[in-house]
Amino acid sequence: MTMGEIGDPVQLKDEGNKHFQAGEIDKAIESYTKAIKACKDKKTLAVIYRNRSACFLKKENYNNAASDATKAIDVDAADIKALYRRCQALEKLGKLDMAFKDVQRCATIEPKNKTFLETLRRLGAEIQQKLKTSFSTDSRVQNMFDILFSEESDKEKREKAANNLIVLARDDAGAERIFQENGVPLLVQLIDTGNPEMILAAIRTLSGMCTGHRARATAIIHMVGISKLCSIMAVDNEEIALATANLFQCVNDSLAGGDKRNYGKEEALVLDTSRDLKDILLALLEMIASKKVSGHGRDQALNLLTRNVPRKDKKDTDNSKCLFTIDHGLKKILKVCGQVPELPDQLQLTENTQLIASVLLNKLYDDLRCDPERDNFRDVCNEYIKGKFDPHDMDKNIHAINTLSGLLQGPFDVGNALAGHQGVMEMMVALCGSEREVDQLVAVEALIHSSTKTSKASFFISNGVTLLKDMYKKTKNEKIKIRALVGLCKLGSAGGDDYSMRQFAEGSTEKLAKQCRKWLCNPTLDVRTRKWAIEGLAYLTNDADVKDDFVEDEAAMKAMFELAQSKDKTILYAVACTLVNCTNSYDKKDILPEMVQLAKFSKQHVPEQHPKDKKDFIERRVKRLLKGGVTSAIAVMVKADNSILTDQTKEMLSRVFLALSNDIKDRGTIVAHGGGKALIPLALEGTANGKIKASHALAKIAAVSKPEIAFPGERIYEVVRPLVSLLNTERDGMENFEALLGLTNLAALNDKLRVKILKEKALPEIENYMFEEHDQIRQAATECMCNLVCCKDVQDRYLQDGNDKLKLLILLCSEDDEQLQRAAAGALAMLTAAQKKLAVKMTKVTGQWLEILQRLCIHENPEIQHRGLVTVFNMLDADEELAKKLIESELLEILTYVAKLEDNPKKQDAINAARACLSRAMDHGLVKPFSK
């Protein structure tokens, strides 16, 4: 390329500048456009775009002006000219909030620029005025409805009106305004339009109006009607079904005590909610077995029952809702479990419906309080299944066996007892021998589910193995073959990860796993069949050879992650099991050498570790999983509904996350793929053990990442509670240490986070760890305190008499550990700056204060020295008597020495602080000026 060619864009840019200055705007645009086409240098290109933006502003072509300015800002986010030009263009386009943000950035970069400050003030006032006119008039609700019902309104206007209505309904005053202005009948009219977007807007607005307000919720239920809401939830639209379920939940919460208002006695009588709650429960039970209800609607009805029928607290003795549900709905739930989608005339289901029904059965059975109640539950199930057996109708028989499968996936003990009843196994054998594929599928799946708990599944072990082996060898149908294989896999994994307890011959486990991986990667098979391949791997990956082979097979690993992110959520448990096995994140029993010797001597079984279950193999597997995209897959899995994502599955995912975040180098990858966000719900809900594991993984990430990037937006405030939960004596030292590091990072960000940490009662725990003997934990606690002392509540604790908090801080400044000294000295400097009384109190809590302070002021570390000198300045500033005492000590010599040092970038903060100290001493008349 010649020099002439390189110079072309610059020359064209200069030409454009001349035209612009001469007022020839069209010619300037032409020159800049040519320059843009010829230019390859990013910085020059940004300048040209910025200049062309000015031309478009002159031509009042505001869209192009904003677009060009944006291209310049993309190269340099602090390009003040481009920012201000975009602000001017956006203002003209009516986008005041965006224009305000741009000029705000300009004013931050150049805080004394009068043009920017004036524009900032003017735009701020305009935005306030616009908000007032939009929201202060009583007509705004009517305006929104007018726009929604108008056929002339364009789509964008209608969407905006719908969103405004939803936002308004979330505010109590707004919700009351909609209610008072005849809003509910209008919302019903919106629903009746049949337009999905309008239905969603209406349902979400009603949800906002019902939240936390029993009177409104009662009125809305009666005005809209429970049956109408059920018919809306029944439509075949996942989003509408979910929104309606949320409305039902809001109503339920408000009627069942979510409203804390104090109603008078008369009003309380009118608002007798028990009847409404009972009617809602009956309507949901009616939906479960209705043919008019879509799969999505059925899922949501089952979810609502799962969430609201069982007791939240087992100490509560009233389980009448559960008994009522069993009396009026158990057979309906069993009917859902028994559906066979391949047969005609079945209920509409999604991939997840039958598992949700099994989870509900399990929750209901767990909620029973005595043997007679459990006997009744079993009797109803037995009567239902027996009633379906019919030697002349195979369809009824497979319905019965599928119902048994549902029970085996729910209350296993009930299903296992029924599987042992006379005629059930014979029926399974008959179905296995049937020529119809659907009969074989149902039977083999029932056999698999009955082997879930091998210790209890004695009936299955004695009868099913031969059956499965025969089916596996004889069938040519891949669907049957894969399911038979999973049954054999389940039995083969009975020894767990004990190398000496392998069920199959050497090498055959790997062969079975290889076949599972092959099926998993076969896109021609349906998702349900491929799901069974993961079920097989969930058991086979107890074997370390299988784990290693699986993570090396990138295609199989990615196929599993893709399925984990599909709509079929019944797969989650098997995926979680496989990942726990591959990362060895299950609980391991420590094998004591003495016990091994004793066991050998007494000829007892001795568990053995597989060579590939050692640390370096596990670490290699973790790296392979991370590279394969495991974090993104888990992030999607965590979003599944709680009825499918059981507490047990959550705990397994938490274990996996903790294993993945073990290596500090991998934590950035986890954050980049959404792992930080995904961990928060796992740390807040689930089993006690699962929450601890997830909280520890969060602490590991928060300790080394920028929290505002790892946990964007409001999520960052949700991280505090899990971290604080690790600050107790029951948790181990590493959990304490990493939680303190994470809290230190959070406390450094803003005052709102610091207040949140205090609200979670973390302060006493952090103070306790400052007394800890372990150096690193004590250091981490002191650093955390250093970031918290700017809170007034923390300062007040240090001001209180009768505690050693301030004394401890002073003594920590004399420790040998520099990091600890730095943190303690920082806390001391900030406390004495904020509270003058603390500067005086310092001299009374320990006789060593002056000696420690002098040592800080001559410290070799400039940061520690600076903090010590700032503390001295605060003390000089606090009290004249104290100032006199300090200047009469050796401190004057130290201050003079440091202040007279030549300017030095490395020590400048300390030198400036010493000079400020002497200046303050001069103000008190304690020292005379000195020449440099």
Side-chain angles (χ1 to χ4, degrees):
M1 187 179 282
T2 66
M3 287 301 292
E5 284 172 325
I6 293 170
D8 272 350
V10 178
Q11 201 177 331
L12 287 163
K13 179 188 74 134
D14 293 340
E15 264 178 45
N17 294 349
K18 283 175 189 171
H19 288 310
F20 184 81
Q21 283 157 7
E24 296 165 351
I25 306 301
D26 287 332
K27 286 182 180 178
I29 290 172
E30 194 177 327
S31 296
Y32 290 143
T33 306
K34 286 177 184 174
I36 286 165
K37 287 176 185 173
C39 189
K40 297 287 182 284
D41 178 68
K42 267 192 177 181
K43 286 187 179 176
T44 310
L45 196 59
V47 173
I48 302 166
Y49 273 123
R50 186 179 72 197
N51 292 356
R52 195 172 70 170
S53 173
C55 297
F56 285 133
L57 273 174
K58 290 268 186 193
K59 297 286 287 179
E60 298 182 10
N61 186 340
Y62 300 119
N63 278 317
N64 283 358
S67 173
D68 273 7
T70 301
K71 284 167 186 166
I73 294 161
D74 287 346
V75 176
D76 178 10
D79 186 334
I80 204 156
K81 286 184 180 177
L83 280 166
Y84 191 65
R85 278 169 197 166
R86 187 169 72 176
C87 160
Q88 291 172 296
L90 290 169
E91 183 186 355
K92 294 291 184 184
L93 290 166
K95 297 176 180 178
L96 297 185
D97 49 347
M98 290 165 76
F100 183 84
K101 281 180 188 171
D102 278 351
V103 77
Q104 207 172 26
R105 278 165 74 187
C106 293
T108 308
I109 298 163
E110 278 186 27
K112 291 180 181 175
N113 186 310
K114 286 182 182 177
T115 306
F116 297 163
L117 294 173
E118 174 54 24
T119 309
L120 195 64
R121 187 201 60 72
R122 182 171 52 74
L123 284 176
E126 281 181 34
I127 288 168
Q128 287 302 316
Q129 189 56 42
K130 196 175 177 185
L131 285 171
K132 276 183 187 175
T133 53
S134 299
F135 292 106
S136 63
T137 59
D138 285 349
S139 63
R140 67 189 184 278
V141 173
Q142 193 56 52
N143 288 346
M144 289 175 203
F145 280 114
D146 287 345
I147 292 166
L148 289 169
F149 284 117
S150 167
E151 289 179 12
E152 291 168 20
S153 301
D154 60 37
K155 192 183 175 188
E156 198 177 330
K157 261 192 175 181
R158 279 208 297 271
E159 279 178 11
K160 200 170 182 183
N163 285 331
N164 286 344
L165 209 53
I166 295 163
V167 171
L168 196 63
R170 285 177 188 153
D171 170 64
D172 192 56
E176 192 58 32
R177 171 67 58 204
I178 297 170
F179 189 77
Q180 295 298 338
E181 292 187 18
N182 201 33
V184 179
L186 289 170
L187 289 167
V188 172
Q189 280 183 46
L190 268 188
I191 291 166
D192 291 340
T193 62
N195 180 330
E197 286 171 9
M198 296 299 106
I199 295 170
L200 271 174
I203 294 294
R204 286 171 179 161
T205 304
L206 288 168
S207 296
M209 291 169 72
C210 291
T211 301
H213 200 295
R214 197 188 317 157
R216 267 203 307 265
T218 306
I220 286 168
I221 276 295
H222 288 282
M223 289 166 85
V224 179
I226 295 169
S227 60
K228 186 174 186 75
L229 287 177
C230 286
S231 68
I232 298 164
M233 194 162 82
V235 301
D236 192 13
N237 181 311
E238 190 174 4
E239 222 178 342
I240 290 173
L242 189 60
T244 316
N246 185 50
L247 171 55
F248 268 124
Q249 190 61 53
C250 293
V251 168
N252 182 82
D253 291 346
S254 295
L255 299 188
D259 182 1
K260 303 292 179 240
R261 284 174 186 75
N262 186 19
Y263 292 102
K265 276 188 181 178
E266 286 182 27
E267 202 167 351
L269 286 171
V270 175
L271 295 176
D272 179 16
T273 58
S274 57
R275 180 75 228 168
D276 288 329
L277 287 168
K278 193 176 174 184
D279 288 345
I280 290 170
L281 182 54
L282 282 166
L284 293 174
L285 290 171
E286 199 59 43
M287 278 186 79
I288 285 171
S290 166
K291 285 192 175 178
K292 294 175 184 173
V293 176
S294 72
H296 296 304
R298 206 175 316 281
D299 283 1
Q300 294 309 329
L302 290 163
N303 281 336
L304 284 164
L305 293 168
T306 306
R307 235 175 274 146
N308 299 301
V309 170
R311 291 166 291 165
K312 300 280 184 287
D313 184 357
K314 289 289 189 279
K315 289 175 189 169
D316 177 9
T317 55
D318 181 16
N319 67 341
S320 55
K321 267 198 290 187
C322 175
L323 298 175
F324 182 85
T325 303
I326 288 167
D327 287 346
H328 293 82
L330 180 54
K331 288 183 179 175
K332 290 170 179 165
I333 304 167
L334 292 171
K335 181 178 179 179
V336 173
C337 289
Q339 297 300 296
V340 182
E342 290 83 355
L343 295 181
D345 204 30
Q346 300 292 291
L347 298 176
Q348 295 176 61
L349 308 173
T350 70
E351 304 90 337
N352 307 313
T353 310
Q354 288 176 302
L355 185 61
I356 297 171
S358 292
V359 170
L360 174 56
L361 288 172
N362 197 39
K363 296 249 182 189
L364 293 174
Y365 190 68
D366 277 351
D367 203 44
L368 299 175
R369 294 182 59 239
C370 57
D371 286 343
E373 288 176 2
R374 292 185 195 97
D375 289 343
N376 174 58
F377 186 98
R378 278 193 291 266
D379 290 344
V380 173
C381 294
N382 186 32
E383 186 190 320
Y384 182 85
I385 288 172
K386 269 191 172 174
K388 294 292 173 188
F389 281 150
D390 185 341
H392 305 296
D393 189 341
M394 205 55 108
D395 286 359
K396 276 190 174 180
N397 292 331
I398 60 174
H399 180 89
I401 298 299
N402 223 26
T403 307
L404 181 62
S405 275
L407 284 164
L408 288 163
Q409 290 173 86
F412 181 83
D413 292 344
V414 176
N416 198 37
L418 294 177
H421 283 188
Q422 191 180 359
V424 177
M425 192 63 197
E426 289 80 354
M427 179 57 68
M428 286 195 201
V429 174
L431 289 171
C432 286
S434 165
E435 288 179 11
R436 269 203 321 180
E437 180 190 276
V438 66
D439 298 341
Q440 293 179 53
L441 284 175
V442 168
V444 78
E445 285 183 18
L447 285 170
I448 292 165
H449 294 310
S450 60
S451 70
T452 297
K453 298 181 184 173
T454 9
S455 56
K456 292 188 178 182
S458 52
F459 179 75
F460 169 74
I461 290 166
S462 54
N463 296 277
V465 179
T466 319
L467 211 55
L468 287 174
K469 280 185 178 173
D470 283 351
M471 291 184 82
Y472 183 69
K473 285 174 188 170
K474 290 174 186 174
T475 186
K476 292 202 168 47
N477 185 324
E478 296 276 88
K479 291 181 182 179
I480 310 292
K481 209 175 187 68
I482 197 167
R483 287 161 171 78
L485 173 70
V486 172
L488 293 169
C489 291
K490 277 193 172 188
L491 293 173
S493 67
D497 69 344
D498 181 354
Y499 186 43
S500 60
M501 283 279 284
R502 288 178 143 202
Q503 297 290 308
F504 297 140
E506 191 75 40
S508 58
T509 307
E510 290 96 301
K511 279 181 189 170
L512 290 174
K514 190 178 179 183
Q515 184 60 58
C516 280
R517 297 202 312 271
K518 191 177 162 188
W519 278 321
L520 179 57
C521 297
N522 185 350
T524 60
L525 290 172
D526 60 289
V527 172
R528 227 173 123 196
T529 303
R530 288 167 72 202
K531 179 191 85 175
W532 283 103
I534 300 175
E535 291 271 357
L537 288 167
Y539 292 93
L540 290 170
T541 45
N542 276 303
D543 184 296
D545 286 315
V546 173
K547 299 177 200 186
D548 249 38
D549 291 345
F550 177 67
V551 296
E552 290 301 321
D553 187 341
E554 199 175 328
M557 198 165 44
K558 287 194 171 172
M560 182 173 86
F561 295 155
E562 278 171 26
L563 285 175
Q565 295 173 69
S566 69
K567 282 192 174 182
D568 186 347
K569 299 300 175 192
T570 58
I571 209 165
L572 299 185
Y573 184 79
V575 173
C577 279
T578 307
L579 292 173
V580 163
N581 288 340
C582 289
T583 54
N584 285 52
S585 48
Y586 40 75
D587 287 327
K588 302 162 196 78
K589 289 179 185 172
D590 291 329
I591 303 167
L592 301 172
E594 310 89 75
M595 296 304 290
V596 172
Q597 292 304 318
L598 190 63
K600 281 180 180 172
F601 179 73
S602 58
K603 294 184 179 173
Q604 295 294 314
H605 168 66
V606 182
E608 288 177 28
Q609 188 186 40
H610 193 291
K612 287 185 180 176
D613 273 330
K614 289 181 179 164
K615 194 181 173 188
D616 53 339
F617 279 95
I618 298 168
E619 286 173 357
R620 206 178 309 150
R621 286 200 289 271
V622 164
K623 304 280 182 201
R624 294 285 303 175
L625 286 166
L626 282 165
K627 192 183 172 189
V630 66
T631 311
S632 303
I634 299 177
V636 174
M637 290 165 74
V638 168
K639 291 175 187 170
D641 195 276
N642 273 350
S643 55
I644 294 276
L645 191 72
T646 60
D647 286 351
Q648 197 182 355
T649 309
K650 283 183 199 167
E651 182 181 325
M652 288 195 288
L653 294 177
S654 300
R655 287 173 178 276
V656 174
F657 260 134
L658 186 54
L660 296 174
S661 58
N662 209 30
D663 187 342
I664 195 167
K665 294 195 286 287
D666 293 329
R667 293 174 201 170
T669 307
I670 293 168
V671 167
H673 291 93
K677 290 178 281 186
L679 269 166
I680 295 170
L682 294 176
L684 295 172
E685 290 178 6
T687 64
N689 206 2
K691 287 192 283 188
I692 290 162
K693 303 278 184 197
S695 297
H696 192 188
L698 271 177
K700 282 180 180 291
I701 288 168
V704 298
S705 310
K706 283 189 174 180
E708 63 274 32
I709 293 170
F711 317 107
E714 292 298 305
R715 287 190 187 91
I716 198 164
Y717 299 99
E718 295 178 59
V719 179
V720 175
R721 185 176 296 170
L723 298 195
V724 174
S725 73
L726 298 175
L727 300 184
N728 66 64
T729 48
E730 288 177 21
R731 306 274 55 84
D732 67 36
M734 185 55 82
E735 289 168 338
N736 301 154
F737 174 64
E738 290 181 317
L740 285 165
L741 289 182
L743 288 168
T744 303
N745 277 347
L746 292 174
L749 278 179
N750 59 50
D751 212 44
K752 194 175 169 186
L753 272 166
R754 289 188 279 273
V755 169
K756 175 75 174 164
I757 291 169
L758 300 186
K759 275 187 180 173
E760 293 295 341
K761 300 184 175 62
L763 200 56
E765 300 295 347
I766 295 166
E767 287 167 348
N768 288 340
Y769 286 115
M770 288 170 72
F771 288 94
E772 176 69 48
E773 286 180 22
H774 192 288
D775 290 345
Q776 285 180 297
I777 292 177
R778 189 171 44 164
Q779 176 202 314
T782 310
E783 285 182 344
C784 192
M785 184 59 74
C786 179
N787 286 345
L788 288 170
V789 290
C790 42
C791 276
K792 179 135 188 347
D793 289 353
V794 179
Q795 293 161 17
D796 290 344
R797 284 174 78 93
Y798 277 89
L799 282 166
Q800 286 166 7
D801 292 327
N803 65 61
D804 290 333
K805 292 178 182 29
L806 192 59
K807 181 181 177 180
L808 172 67
L809 214 49
I810 297 165
L811 295 174
L812 288 174
C813 289
S814 66
E815 290 285 333
D816 293 334
D817 183 335
E818 281 199 7
Q819 287 287 88
L820 182 57
Q821 269 186 303
R822 180 179 165 278
L828 209 54
M830 289 166 79
L831 281 169
T832 50
Q835 299 285 347
K836 291 186 177 183
K837 288 180 185 175
L838 285 172
V840 179
K841 188 179 177 181
M842 267 182 71
T843 64
K844 297 172 184 173
V845 292
T846 172
Q848 296 169 273
W849 68 272
L850 187 55
E851 184 193 336
I852 291 168
L853 204 53
Q854 286 171 347
R855 266 194 254 153
L856 288 178
C857 292
I858 55 170
H859 204 287
E860 288 178 358
N861 184 320
E863 268 194 282
I864 295 171
Q865 184 184 27
H866 174 238
R867 291 169 185 217
L869 288 161
V870 169
T871 306
V872 171
F873 176 84
N874 296 336
M875 295 174 85
L876 288 166
D877 197 42
D879 182 84
E880 275 197 50
E881 281 300 309
L882 177 54
K884 194 176 175 186
K885 193 173 182 179
L886 288 168
I887 294 302
E888 285 170 358
S889 74
E890 291 174 16
L891 257 173
L892 177 58
E893 197 181 328
I894 295 167
L895 292 173
T896 309
Y897 169 75
V898 178
K900 283 185 173 181
L901 288 172
E902 285 193 17
D903 286 356
N904 177 343
K906 288 184 181 175
K907 288 195 167 189
Q908 198 59 46
D909 286 341
I911 294 167
N912 291 345
R915 289 172 185 170
C917 288
L918 289 173
S919 177
R920 187 47 49 99
M922 281 180 223
D923 295 343
H924 287 308
L926 298 171
V927 295
K928 291 177 182 176
F930 64 96
S931 56
K932 238 181 166 184

